[in-house]
Amino acid sequence: MKEIINCAAYADGRRIADVQLSEVHEVLKAKDKFVWIGLHEPSEAVLSTVQQQFGLHDLAVEDAHNAHQRPKVELYGDSVFVVLRTVEVSKDHRIEFGETHFFVGDNFIVTIRHGDGVSYADVRSRCESTPHLLSKGQGFALYSVMDFIVDHYYPVVQEMEQELQEIEDLIFKGNPNRDTTEQIYQLKRELLEVKRAVSPLIDVCNKLMRLDIKWISEETRPYFRDVYDHVVRINDMIENTRELLNTAMEANFSLISISQNDVSKKFAGWAAIIAVPTMVAGFYGMNFKFMPKSEWEYGFYAVVLLTIAACTLLYLVFKKTGWL
Amino acid sequence: MKEIINCAAYADGRRIADVQLSEVHEVLKAKDKFVWIGLHEPSEAVLSTVQQQFGLHDLAVEDAHNAHQRPKVELYGDSVFVVLRTVEVSKDHRIEFGETHFFVGDNFIVTIRHGDGVSYADVRSRCESTPHLLSKGQGFALYSVMDFIVDHYYPVVQEMEQELQEIEDLIFKGNPNRDTTEQIYQLKRELLEVKRAVSPLIDVCNKLMRLDIKWISEETRPYFRDVYDHVVRINDMIENTRELLNTAMEANFSLISISQNDVSKKFAGWAAIIAVPTMVAGFYGMNFKFMPKSEWEYGFYAVVLLTIAACTLLYLVFKKTGWL
Amino acid sequence: MKEIINCAAYADGRRIADVQLSEVHEVLKAKDKFVWIGLHEPSEAVLSTVQQQFGLHDLAVEDAHNAHQRPKVELYGDSVFVVLRTVEVSKDHRIEFGETHFFVGDNFIVTIRHGDGVSYADVRSRCESTPHLLSKGQGFALYSVMDFIVDHYYPVVQEMEQELQEIEDLIFKGNPNRDTTEQIYQLKRELLEVKRAVSPLIDVCNKLMRLDIKWISEETRPYFRDVYDHVVRINDMIENTRELLNTAMEANFSLISISQNDVSKKFAGWAAIIAVPTMVAGFYGMNFKFMPKSEWEYGFYAVVLLTIAACTLLYLVFKKTGWL
Amino acid sequence: MKEIINCAAYADGRRIADVQLSEVHEVLKAKDKFVWIGLHEPSEAVLSTVQQQFGLHDLAVEDAHNAHQRPKVELYGDSVFVVLRTVEVSKDHRIEFGETHFFVGDNFIVTIRHGDGVSYADVRSRCESTPHLLSKGQGFALYSVMDFIVDHYYPVVQEMEQELQEIEDLIFKGNPNRDTTEQIYQLKRELLEVKRAVSPLIDVCNKLMRLDIKWISEETRPYFRDVYDHVVRINDMIENTRELLNTAMEANFSLISISQNDVSKKFAGWAAIIAVPTMVAGFYGMNFKFMPKSEWEYGFYAVVLLTIAACTLLYLVFKKTGWL
Amino acid sequence: MKEIINCAAYADGRRIADVQLSEVHEVLKAKDKFVWIGLHEPSEAVLSTVQQQFGLHDLAVEDAHNAHQRPKVELYGDSVFVVLRTVEVSKDHRIEFGETHFFVGDNFIVTIRHGDGVSYADVRSRCESTPHLLSKGQGFALYSVMDFIVDHYYPVVQEMEQELQEIEDLIFKGNPNRDTTEQIYQLKRELLEVKRAVSPLIDVCNKLMRLDIKWISEETRPYFRDVYDHVVRINDMIENTRELLNTAMEANFSLISISQNDVSKKFAGWAAIIAVPTMVAGFYGMNFKFMPKSEWEYGFYAVVLLTIAACTLLYLVFKKTGWL
């Protein structure tokens, strides 16, 4: 995969030219234009070219190279460095994390994508198809990519809600076993990881809504509020799932105990039933000279039958009182 | 069900005319009037007519169409977009959620109802019957519908408090079983869902109380404070029920353990009682040539009787010490 | 019980006249006077007279009539509406809740008591006996009743602390049983209910301390701070009891488990002891032609005695190792 | 013990005279002097003399007399009323609580000690030995006593940390028993009580650091920040111990369950071993005419030996698989 | 190890001279220079020399000597006292804590290292190799050491995350035992201790970012924000591990209970199987004159074989239903 996905100049919301990374500064001399560069896991060389073209701060470039940041927004003079984490469900239902960084300044926006997530080419073409919106400037481009990233959180959270429901079924309809407990634990682990990616975004969006920067026009603010709103909602959904998961864990535990109780009862019941013939047999095994009916031809059968009858009776009584 | 429930112009708190949606802008040219439009799950076409008439923001209209928002209030210039969630108890005691959106501006209020909840026709007619209040303007109309929605939360919360009490009875008076645990879990799930609908409203009301907007007169503020107050109270009730529910879950768990203890004790007690005859019988089953009383005619009966006496004694002792 | 307990005019901290409710406005024409009215569960008629006399807001009067509010303070222009909840221990040690509302304005204070709690006649006469304090105005009267109400919280909280100690004794000295668990649950329920009555008061007092209103002189502020202080302390006590109660619940649970463990051990121990004679008897019950000592006259007795000795030995060993 | 421990006038950080309580106002006429009075559980008479001398507020004096306050700082005009709680470890390792109140004003500081804690005579003489510090005024005297009180919290918290470690040893090295659970509960109780004494101090110090009062010079502020710092650290230690204690409680519970598991396994193992001879004996006790080896002279011995061998084998197998 | 590791003067980001501690004030007369002193567990004598040279506050020096502080930043006039806690993993995988204090003023920075952690000589030489950065002044030197310290937190937290994963393996793949529970407890203890070292740093960095002090230029602020960012991330990782650890503890507990359940079931199953031959044998041990097949030559064998068959059948049934 190439590092530089796209590098184009925009004016009035329309793409006017594709430019070489090293010639970007030439383009920027003209007013009312901005450059939108899309990078994917760029090498140090490319990053340092970008840094020179736009005069980015060492610390931000270092962060962009390392790509193990928590979501944040940092202001360096007039330009802004934004870090988002991308979360996607892969084809085999696993959750995959990536990272996207933005450098946005007076007349440029650079998006740097890390990880194998979905490319932002679609977002770009959708923006290009609505020039009246993109003409709001690079702030709108930033919004578009952020909105795209946040929209990809929904299926992830829904996947986890789905998993929770499967766990509920296992708990309340199945039997308690080791796997359910491990599943709960693993879902919790995932939830916490997704939460770590999502929840700092609330603060990021909040800051972007309030930033007093030339290239964020009053008109673009509602768009960042819209992203904020989505993030808060996703965060709510995660919190909700987390609380339910905790309750599910406790419910699971209760049911394990009840099931243990059931085993004990069943055991006790059968032990009692079996004790009857053992006792009777024991008595008739005593070495007395005179024992009732011991000389009778059908004595053995009578005792066996009576014992079976007694056991059956006990069985029925236990069945009725819930001990079996 | 039709989409446009109502569309009328008001002046001085009195309905002066029913208007066509497409002619609303004509009516609004006159000062001191406002239009109150009631929609129910409107189609995209109707919504876009409304948008054109009042110049609503794209993002808000998109939200109003999607109807999966969390309660919020958003300011777009002079007009406001409010989202509430409705919660009602259906006839078969299930909790049903809906959503209501409001667009309120300089001389209009649009209510958009989603879901099969109660219609707001009653609220409108009640407002019309108190023109001295409705003359406070569209702010009062907004309050009236919000108050109506919030009033419908009470029976829902009371229903859940009722359910909690039934669970308490099951826990403390009945026997622990799987169903109680599941009932607790399901009530928790419901509680969390209702909470998600109610608690963001605190913030919404707070914002409405403080909004510095022409069409919210100083006189209408106490009304929003009143709604705020109700929401806080309902939220308290939910929190309370939640905490009690958590405690109930733990109490349930304790009682399951105690009940397990009781089973073990009972089992142990009966095992001890049954051990007596088995042991006695075993001894008299030994093949010794000389055994006491073994030649005695009533030996068998004597042993049986003595054994029964011993068992009865044990039974009484165990009964007294709480092992049976 | 009559509705209007008291209705008197005060000047310079002294009661100057008893007045008719309907003539209150006459009295108020004179400066430097204020009227103190005490009502008990007033009818709608009385309330509406009061409303007319002092020009109270509809919403506040409606709240005062409903009497299911959470503690709050609301400012309507120059007058204030305060809601407190009263909590008292009844003679049969049950906790009883009531509600008291206040309307305080430029030259009046109205107290409206709901529920069968203690009357405020004592507070009034105590105020009247210290004219130098009551001369601070209706703010001081408000403080006096609030202080009186808050002072009645202490015995309630102490009652609950007492109950907690009884529960501790049951847990650590008694045996685990169903009743202890239920007692913990019920105390938690009570605690939460009292907490709901008390904790919003912190905010109420805070607001009263900061209210910028003519009739709260700089001199009365320390008095509201004093009430604030008491409420914070009571709230601390409740929180403390709640945390201890949670711990008590867990401790109870631990001890139930330990007790279960003890039962199991005891059971196992006795089972082992009883297994010895059963086994011995079994062996001597085998049908071999040649068995040791079986022909010996005292064989039976010897075996019985040896068995008893073995059992006694086992008993002593188990007793020492804590299995019995 | 006498009520008035000390009553002296200071100038330039040096004690210039011992004065009579009733003549204090004479001394105070001179500028740049302050009086430092030390009281111990004063009678109402002494307190009211102090009140008259310095014009203290009724509410504060009432609080000082009752001595059941939570730590707080209250501003009355130019003077300040401070309440601290003292905590000390007594000789028999019990935790003892006391209370100390301060009235500090323009030219005086009064310390009122309740309870049998350590006297502040040492603090006073240490202050007198550093006149360059004490010359900062009564603010420094206040700091000195507060610092002294806070320093006494450390041994208390360390005592509790020590106790926690003993509990850990009991849990992880000993066997679960009722006493460990009770010890955990009692430590939690103590922790909460100490926390209630310490944590409000954070707020108190914070307020003192920010108070805009003549007699707290800019130079004394760092000293109150120092106390603040200690209190925060102690509070951290308490929080830490509390969280560990909660975890210890859960760990204890886990180990009780494991231990129960061990008992069950052991029981099951022995039951299986004992079942072997019982079964064998039973078979040879059957009344068949033809049984293998039953006529053989050593049949009995052979069966006994084989049975013992089988039991030994089972024992070894169970020992290896951890069931015994 | 010597106390004074380094003492050098810097100008324009370059080391210009090594100076004697006692002559530092001479150097400082020249403008645009600053002195960087590195101490390791200094004696009281050295500390007091430093105090005199830079006019440090008594309280700060006392703190620097005691070295049992929580991370904090304190402003004394123009100079600042910073306390950090160092955390490192020793070679035998134990976590070791240390402390580093900073005095930073107009033209000096003093670092005081306590404990056996890594020396800051490397940081110093790295700073000296980038004079264009170090020329930003002592603020940058402070940043460099702080960054170095915070970077050393990562391996510690990763070590703990590693430990958590080992615990997970023990829980979900191994059998529940006492050691797992103790390991969880010990990891929690470590986590809390590390958290206490790390989390107050968030506040420290925040304050440093906002401090309005001459020697922190606008250019150095982003560097402190960078440290802030790292600390927040580490804190997140710790919180995450803590929450997972709590869940792991509960999962462990659930699995202990399930394992107990398994033991009970297995026990019950084997007891039932053994009960069959015992019962059969008992019946054939009865002393009746006429018993079926008792005279038959192969009776004994037939009964034995039938019993074995019955037991095998039971075994298979139990195996299938999961009771064995």
Side-chain angles (χ1 to χ4, degrees), chain A residues 168 225 229 233 236 240 243 247 261 287 289, chain B residues 68 72 185 188-189 242 284-286 294-295:
Chain A
E168 283 174 20
R225 188 172 61 190
D229 216 69
R233 219 189 122 212
D236 274 12
N240 205 35
E243 180 144 8
T247 313
N261 219 355
N287 294 317
K289 232 171 185 154
Chain B
H68 280 294
K72 62 177 175 183
Y185 183 83
K188 180 90 175 253
R189 214 180 215 292
R242 180 155 77 149
Y284 268 91
M286 292 195 291
S294 69
E295 314 269 323

PDB file of all heavy atoms in Angstrom, chain A residues 168 225 229 233 236 240 243 247 261 287 289, chain B residues 68 72 185 188-189 242 284-286 294-295:
ATOM      1  N   GLU A 168     -26.776 -13.578  28.141  1.00  0.00           N
ATOM      2  CA  GLU A 168     -28.005 -13.667  28.954  1.00  0.00           C
ATOM      3  C   GLU A 168     -28.720 -14.994  28.719  1.00  0.00           C
ATOM      4  O   GLU A 168     -29.170 -15.652  29.660  1.00  0.00           O
ATOM      5  CB  GLU A 168     -28.958 -12.522  28.596  1.00  0.00           C
ATOM      6  CG  GLU A 168     -28.546 -11.190  29.189  1.00  0.00           C
ATOM      7  CD  GLU A 168     -29.446 -10.076  28.692  1.00  0.00           C
ATOM      8  OE1 GLU A 168     -30.565 -10.367  28.230  1.00  0.00           O
ATOM      9  OE2 GLU A 168     -29.032  -8.907  28.758  1.00  0.00           O
ATOM     10  N   ARG A 225     -20.720  19.613  17.013  1.00  0.00           N
ATOM     11  CA  ARG A 225     -21.692  19.277  18.054  1.00  0.00           C
ATOM     12  C   ARG A 225     -22.413  17.985  17.695  1.00  0.00           C
ATOM     13  O   ARG A 225     -22.721  17.166  18.565  1.00  0.00           O
ATOM     14  CB  ARG A 225     -22.690  20.421  18.213  1.00  0.00           C
ATOM     15  CG  ARG A 225     -23.616  20.248  19.395  1.00  0.00           C
ATOM     16  CD  ARG A 225     -24.453  21.473  19.632  1.00  0.00           C
ATOM     17  NE  ARG A 225     -25.284  21.758  18.467  1.00  0.00           N
ATOM     18  CZ  ARG A 225     -25.975  22.891  18.323  1.00  0.00           C
ATOM     19  NH1 ARG A 225     -25.928  23.824  19.252  1.00  0.00           N
ATOM     20  NH2 ARG A 225     -26.700  23.093  17.246  1.00  0.00           N
ATOM     21  N   ASP A 229     -22.520  14.680  19.892  1.00  0.00           N
ATOM     22  CA  ASP A 229     -23.761  14.010  20.241  1.00  0.00           C
ATOM     23  C   ASP A 229     -23.690  12.500  20.006  1.00  0.00           C
ATOM     24  O   ASP A 229     -24.105  11.703  20.845  1.00  0.00           O
ATOM     25  CB  ASP A 229     -24.843  14.604  19.355  1.00  0.00           C
ATOM     26  CG  ASP A 229     -26.120  14.714  20.085  1.00  0.00           C
ATOM     27  OD1 ASP A 229     -26.183  15.548  20.994  1.00  0.00           O
ATOM     28  OD2 ASP A 229     -27.022  13.936  19.764  1.00  0.00           O
ATOM     29  N   ARG A 233     -23.776   9.452  22.810  1.00  0.00           N
ATOM     30  CA  ARG A 233     -24.739   8.353  22.735  1.00  0.00           C
ATOM     31  C   ARG A 233     -24.043   6.991  22.759  1.00  0.00           C
ATOM     32  O   ARG A 233     -24.468   6.079  23.468  1.00  0.00           O
ATOM     33  CB  ARG A 233     -25.570   8.480  21.447  1.00  0.00           C
ATOM     34  CG  ARG A 233     -27.020   8.107  21.709  1.00  0.00           C
ATOM     35  CD  ARG A 233     -27.811   7.997  20.439  1.00  0.00           C
ATOM     36  NE  ARG A 233     -28.390   6.679  20.334  1.00  0.00           N
ATOM     37  CZ  ARG A 233     -28.589   6.055  19.199  1.00  0.00           C
ATOM     38  NH1 ARG A 233     -28.258   6.620  18.060  1.00  0.00           N
ATOM     39  NH2 ARG A 233     -29.111   4.849  19.201  1.00  0.00           N
ATOM     40  N   ASP A 236     -22.884   6.272  26.186  1.00  0.00           N
ATOM     41  CA  ASP A 236     -24.018   5.823  27.005  1.00  0.00           C
ATOM     42  C   ASP A 236     -24.293   4.347  26.782  1.00  0.00           C
ATOM     43  O   ASP A 236     -24.542   3.590  27.730  1.00  0.00           O
ATOM     44  CB  ASP A 236     -25.288   6.602  26.621  1.00  0.00           C
ATOM     45  CG  ASP A 236     -25.390   7.910  27.361  1.00  0.00           C
ATOM     46  OD1 ASP A 236     -24.401   8.313  27.989  1.00  0.00           O
ATOM     47  OD2 ASP A 236     -26.447   8.536  27.304  1.00  0.00           O
ATOM     48  N   ASN A 240     -24.046   1.447  29.579  1.00  0.00           N
ATOM     49  CA  ASN A 240     -25.218   0.627  29.829  1.00  0.00           C
ATOM     50  C   ASN A 240     -24.850  -0.863  29.749  1.00  0.00           C
ATOM     51  O   ASN A 240     -25.176  -1.645  30.638  1.00  0.00           O
ATOM     52  CB  ASN A 240     -26.254   0.951  28.753  1.00  0.00           C
ATOM     53  CG  ASN A 240     -27.647   0.660  29.199  1.00  0.00           C
ATOM     54  OD1 ASN A 240     -27.959   0.841  30.378  1.00  0.00           O
ATOM     55  ND2 ASN A 240     -28.467   0.186  28.290  1.00  0.00           N
ATOM     56  N   GLU A 243     -22.813  -1.914  32.716  1.00  0.00           N
ATOM     57  CA  GLU A 243     -23.563  -2.137  33.957  1.00  0.00           C
ATOM     58  C   GLU A 243     -24.370  -3.435  33.886  1.00  0.00           C
ATOM     59  O   GLU A 243     -24.423  -4.202  34.849  1.00  0.00           O
ATOM     60  CB  GLU A 243     -24.480  -0.946  34.239  1.00  0.00           C
ATOM     61  CG  GLU A 243     -25.269  -1.141  35.518  1.00  0.00           C
ATOM     62  CD  GLU A 243     -25.467   0.139  36.293  1.00  0.00           C
ATOM     63  OE1 GLU A 243     -25.132   1.228  35.786  1.00  0.00           O
ATOM     64  OE2 GLU A 243     -25.964   0.055  37.432  1.00  0.00           O
ATOM     65  N   THR A 247     -24.151  -6.883  36.208  1.00  0.00           N
ATOM     66  CA  THR A 247     -25.307  -7.539  36.793  1.00  0.00           C
ATOM     67  C   THR A 247     -25.405  -8.979  36.294  1.00  0.00           C
ATOM     68  O   THR A 247     -25.741  -9.886  37.064  1.00  0.00           O
ATOM     69  CB  THR A 247     -26.594  -6.766  36.457  1.00  0.00           C
ATOM     70  OG1 THR A 247     -26.377  -5.391  36.704  1.00  0.00           O
ATOM     71  CG2 THR A 247     -27.756  -7.265  37.286  1.00  0.00           C
ATOM     72  N   ASN A 261     -27.309 -25.888  44.841  1.00  0.00           N
ATOM     73  CA  ASN A 261     -28.352 -26.245  45.768  1.00  0.00           C
ATOM     74  C   ASN A 261     -29.178 -27.403  45.210  1.00  0.00           C
ATOM     75  O   ASN A 261     -29.509 -28.353  45.915  1.00  0.00           O
ATOM     76  CB  ASN A 261     -29.257 -25.021  45.964  1.00  0.00           C
ATOM     77  CG  ASN A 261     -29.690 -24.895  47.392  1.00  0.00           C
ATOM     78  OD1 ASN A 261     -29.390 -25.778  48.188  1.00  0.00           O
ATOM     79  ND2 ASN A 261     -30.389 -23.831  47.699  1.00  0.00           N
ATOM     80  N   ASN A 287     -29.096 -61.928  62.748  1.00  0.00           N
ATOM     81  CA  ASN A 287     -29.101 -63.353  63.063  1.00  0.00           C
ATOM     82  C   ASN A 287     -29.939 -63.697  64.291  1.00  0.00           C
ATOM     83  O   ASN A 287     -29.408 -64.140  65.306  1.00  0.00           O
ATOM     84  CB  ASN A 287     -27.654 -63.818  63.258  1.00  0.00           C
ATOM     85  CG  ASN A 287     -26.889 -63.715  61.967  1.00  0.00           C
ATOM     86  OD1 ASN A 287     -27.387 -64.072  60.905  1.00  0.00           O
ATOM     87  ND2 ASN A 287     -25.666 -63.185  62.046  1.00  0.00           N
ATOM     88  N   LYS A 289     -33.007 -65.939  65.928  1.00  0.00           N
ATOM     89  CA  LYS A 289     -33.594 -67.253  65.656  1.00  0.00           C
ATOM     90  C   LYS A 289     -35.021 -67.101  65.166  1.00  0.00           C
ATOM     91  O   LYS A 289     -35.445 -67.772  64.237  1.00  0.00           O
ATOM     92  CB  LYS A 289     -33.562 -68.129  66.905  1.00  0.00           C
ATOM     93  CG  LYS A 289     -32.923 -69.452  66.553  1.00  0.00           C
ATOM     94  CD  LYS A 289     -32.652 -70.303  67.727  1.00  0.00           C
ATOM     95  CE  LYS A 289     -31.904 -71.545  67.270  1.00  0.00           C
ATOM     96  NZ  LYS A 289     -31.094 -72.082  68.373  1.00  0.00           N
TER      97      LYS A 289
ATOM     98  N   HIS B  68     -33.534   8.308  16.584  1.00  0.00           N
ATOM     99  CA  HIS B  68     -32.848   7.475  17.584  1.00  0.00           C
ATOM    100  C   HIS B  68     -31.837   8.332  18.294  1.00  0.00           C
ATOM    101  O   HIS B  68     -30.636   8.088  18.258  1.00  0.00           O
ATOM    102  CB  HIS B  68     -32.182   6.269  16.928  1.00  0.00           C
ATOM    103  CG  HIS B  68     -33.152   5.195  16.660  1.00  0.00           C
ATOM    104  ND1 HIS B  68     -33.791   4.495  17.658  1.00  0.00           N
ATOM    105  CD2 HIS B  68     -33.643   4.707  15.499  1.00  0.00           C
ATOM    106  CE1 HIS B  68     -34.611   3.627  17.121  1.00  0.00           C
ATOM    107  NE2 HIS B  68     -34.555   3.734  15.813  1.00  0.00           N
ATOM    108  N   LYS B  72     -31.852  15.860  24.248  1.00  0.00           N
ATOM    109  CA  LYS B  72     -30.875  16.951  24.139  1.00  0.00           C
ATOM    110  C   LYS B  72     -31.594  18.218  23.731  1.00  0.00           C
ATOM    111  O   LYS B  72     -32.747  18.190  23.307  1.00  0.00           O
ATOM    112  CB  LYS B  72     -29.809  16.610  23.105  1.00  0.00           C
ATOM    113  CG  LYS B  72     -30.347  16.433  21.691  1.00  0.00           C
ATOM    114  CD  LYS B  72     -29.229  16.168  20.702  1.00  0.00           C
ATOM    115  CE  LYS B  72     -29.802  15.877  19.318  1.00  0.00           C
ATOM    116  NZ  LYS B  72     -28.780  15.544  18.338  1.00  0.00           N
ATOM    117  N   TYR B 185     -32.798  -9.319  37.175  1.00  0.00           N
ATOM    118  CA  TYR B 185     -31.996  -8.881  36.032  1.00  0.00           C
ATOM    119  C   TYR B 185     -32.839  -8.096  35.038  1.00  0.00           C
ATOM    120  O   TYR B 185     -32.439  -7.031  34.561  1.00  0.00           O
ATOM    121  CB  TYR B 185     -31.347 -10.088  35.360  1.00  0.00           C
ATOM    122  CG  TYR B 185     -30.450  -9.696  34.219  1.00  0.00           C
ATOM    123  CD1 TYR B 185     -29.148  -9.292  34.462  1.00  0.00           C
ATOM    124  CD2 TYR B 185     -30.903  -9.713  32.910  1.00  0.00           C
ATOM    125  CE1 TYR B 185     -28.322  -8.912  33.435  1.00  0.00           C
ATOM    126  CE2 TYR B 185     -30.085  -9.326  31.870  1.00  0.00           C
ATOM    127  CZ  TYR B 185     -28.791  -8.929  32.134  1.00  0.00           C
ATOM    128  OH  TYR B 185     -27.979  -8.546  31.104  1.00  0.00           O
ATOM    129  N   LYS B 188     -33.667  -4.678  36.287  1.00  0.00           N
ATOM    130  CA  LYS B 188     -32.473  -3.825  36.169  1.00  0.00           C
ATOM    131  C   LYS B 188     -32.331  -3.309  34.741  1.00  0.00           C
ATOM    132  O   LYS B 188     -32.026  -2.132  34.515  1.00  0.00           O
ATOM    133  CB  LYS B 188     -31.238  -4.646  36.555  1.00  0.00           C
ATOM    134  CG  LYS B 188     -29.928  -3.896  36.477  1.00  0.00           C
ATOM    135  CD  LYS B 188     -29.618  -3.235  37.798  1.00  0.00           C
ATOM    136  CE  LYS B 188     -28.266  -2.571  37.792  1.00  0.00           C
ATOM    137  NZ  LYS B 188     -27.289  -3.304  38.585  1.00  0.00           N
ATOM    138  N   ARG B 189     -32.537  -4.196  33.785  1.00  0.00           N
ATOM    139  CA  ARG B 189     -32.447  -3.817  32.379  1.00  0.00           C
ATOM    140  C   ARG B 189     -33.441  -2.699  32.049  1.00  0.00           C
ATOM    141  O   ARG B 189     -33.084  -1.688  31.450  1.00  0.00           O
ATOM    142  CB  ARG B 189     -32.758  -5.056  31.530  1.00  0.00           C
ATOM    143  CG  ARG B 189     -31.993  -5.131  30.240  1.00  0.00           C
ATOM    144  CD  ARG B 189     -32.350  -6.373  29.447  1.00  0.00           C
ATOM    145  NE  ARG B 189     -31.249  -6.941  28.731  1.00  0.00           N
ATOM    146  CZ  ARG B 189     -30.644  -6.384  27.699  1.00  0.00           C
ATOM    147  NH1 ARG B 189     -31.031  -5.205  27.267  1.00  0.00           N
ATOM    148  NH2 ARG B 189     -29.636  -6.982  27.103  1.00  0.00           N
ATOM    149  N   ARG B 242     -32.842   1.510  41.867  1.00  0.00           N
ATOM    150  CA  ARG B 242     -31.661   0.789  41.403  1.00  0.00           C
ATOM    151  C   ARG B 242     -30.810   0.315  42.560  1.00  0.00           C
ATOM    152  O   ARG B 242     -30.388  -0.834  42.597  1.00  0.00           O
ATOM    153  CB  ARG B 242     -30.830   1.695  40.492  1.00  0.00           C
ATOM    154  CG  ARG B 242     -29.591   0.985  40.002  1.00  0.00           C
ATOM    155  CD  ARG B 242     -29.092   1.551  38.726  1.00  0.00           C
ATOM    156  NE  ARG B 242     -28.388   2.796  38.918  1.00  0.00           N
ATOM    157  CZ  ARG B 242     -27.388   3.198  38.144  1.00  0.00           C
ATOM    158  NH1 ARG B 242     -27.010   2.457  37.135  1.00  0.00           N
ATOM    159  NH2 ARG B 242     -26.802   4.335  38.355  1.00  0.00           N
ATOM    160  N   TYR B 284     -26.068 -56.988  64.519  1.00  0.00           N
ATOM    161  CA  TYR B 284     -26.785 -58.247  64.734  1.00  0.00           C
ATOM    162  C   TYR B 284     -26.668 -59.186  63.541  1.00  0.00           C
ATOM    163  O   TYR B 284     -27.120 -60.310  63.584  1.00  0.00           O
ATOM    164  CB  TYR B 284     -28.247 -58.008  65.114  1.00  0.00           C
ATOM    165  CG  TYR B 284     -28.393 -57.938  66.593  1.00  0.00           C
ATOM    166  CD1 TYR B 284     -28.309 -56.736  67.264  1.00  0.00           C
ATOM    167  CD2 TYR B 284     -28.540 -59.117  67.357  1.00  0.00           C
ATOM    168  CE1 TYR B 284     -28.393 -56.659  68.629  1.00  0.00           C
ATOM    169  CE2 TYR B 284     -28.627 -59.054  68.721  1.00  0.00           C
ATOM    170  CZ  TYR B 284     -28.558 -57.840  69.364  1.00  0.00           C
ATOM    171  OH  TYR B 284     -28.633 -57.784  70.720  1.00  0.00           O
ATOM    172  N   GLY B 285     -26.061 -58.641  62.465  1.00  0.00           N
ATOM    173  CA  GLY B 285     -25.829 -59.502  61.313  1.00  0.00           C
ATOM    174  C   GLY B 285     -24.507 -60.242  61.375  1.00  0.00           C
ATOM    175  O   GLY B 285     -24.200 -61.068  60.523  1.00  0.00           O
ATOM    176  N   MET B 286     -23.707 -59.951  62.398  1.00  0.00           N
ATOM    177  CA  MET B 286     -22.400 -60.591  62.509  1.00  0.00           C
ATOM    178  C   MET B 286     -22.560 -62.086  62.828  1.00  0.00           C
ATOM    179  O   MET B 286     -23.461 -62.498  63.531  1.00  0.00           O
ATOM    180  CB  MET B 286     -21.572 -59.892  63.580  1.00  0.00           C
ATOM    181  CG  MET B 286     -21.195 -58.473  63.155  1.00  0.00           C
ATOM    182  SD  MET B 286     -19.889 -57.764  64.160  1.00  0.00           S
ATOM    183  CE  MET B 286     -20.741 -57.552  65.697  1.00  0.00           C
ATOM    184  N   SER B 294     -29.967 -63.382  70.974  1.00  0.00           N
ATOM    185  CA  SER B 294     -30.277 -63.790  69.608  1.00  0.00           C
ATOM    186  C   SER B 294     -31.186 -65.013  69.588  1.00  0.00           C
ATOM    187  O   SER B 294     -31.854 -65.293  68.603  1.00  0.00           O
ATOM    188  CB  SER B 294     -28.997 -64.060  68.808  1.00  0.00           C
ATOM    189  OG  SER B 294     -28.362 -65.229  69.321  1.00  0.00           O
ATOM    190  N   GLU B 295     -31.202 -65.687  70.699  1.00  0.00           N
ATOM    191  CA  GLU B 295     -32.047 -66.876  70.746  1.00  0.00           C
ATOM    192  C   GLU B 295     -33.429 -66.548  71.304  1.00  0.00           C
ATOM    193  O   GLU B 295     -34.350 -67.365  71.256  1.00  0.00           O
ATOM    194  CB  GLU B 295     -31.390 -67.958  71.647  1.00  0.00           C
ATOM    195  CG  GLU B 295     -29.908 -68.162  71.376  1.00  0.00           C
ATOM    196  CD  GLU B 295     -29.656 -69.244  70.320  1.00  0.00           C
ATOM    197  OE1 GLU B 295     -30.403 -70.236  70.332  1.00  0.00           O
ATOM    198  OE2 GLU B 295     -28.741 -69.074  69.469  1.00  0.00           O
TER     199      GLU B 295
END
